């Protein structure tokens, strides 16, 4: 919903616009912070850096983007936004897909303990 926002351990986000098949967010990433390494089953993402420098990881490769530059992440590709700088990183994110809900996140790695522990099987 437009105006929805959330503070996360790495920074915050706010929804600027959304409609059928898309959502637009402003993402603020604190200095020396990063989001979880994650995938999405239902959406692709396009990030445009407004201020700061992103050292994001896309499918295991580090991609550096500065103001005015952008990165596209296809559906299902592992990714994370990283801010290694001393200044806040601001990104506009456009999500496109048949579902753009916050629960379409599969966390592969996380600095804040939000990845479920692997189950152990006893025989």
């Amino acid at each position: 919903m437009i105006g929805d926002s959330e503070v996360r351990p790495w920074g915050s986000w706010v929804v600027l616009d959304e409609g059928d098949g898309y959502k637009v967010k402003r993402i603020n990433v604190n200095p020396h912070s990063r989001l979880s390494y994650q995938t999405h089953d239902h959406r692709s993402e396009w990030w445009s850096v407004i201020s700061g420098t992103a050292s994001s990881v896309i499918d295991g490769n580090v991609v550096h983007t500065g103001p005015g530059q952008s990165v596209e992440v296809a559906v299902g590709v592992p990714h994370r936004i990283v801010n290694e700088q001393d200044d806040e990183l601001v990104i506009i994110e456009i999500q496109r897909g048949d579902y753009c809900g916050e629960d379409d996140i599969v966390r592969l790695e996380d600095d804040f303990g939000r990845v479920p522990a692997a189950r152990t099987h006893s025989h």
Side-chain angles (χ1 to χ4, degrees), residues 52-120:
T53 301
S55 303
S56 303
V57 180
I58 313 293
D59 203 14
N61 300 308
V62 177
V63 178
H64 299 280
T65 46
Q69 297 179 315
S70 61
V71 174
E72 185 152 4
V73 181
V75 175
V77 172
H79 62 278
R80 86 181 331 153
I81 298 171
V82 181
N83 182 5
E84 297 177 333
Q85 308 301 310
D86 293 333
D87 298 315
E88 183 178 55
L89 170 64
V90 180
I91 290 177
I92 298 299
E93 175 184 83
I94 299 175
Q95 304 173 0
R96 293 186 317 265
D98 58 9
Y99 179 70
C100 295
E102 289 306 311
D103 57 347
D104 181 24
I105 297 176
V106 178
R107 289 187 174 95
L108 306 173
E109 296 175 16
D110 184 61
D111 295 342
F112 307 102
R114 297 176 296 173
V115 175
R119 291 185 178 175
T120 56

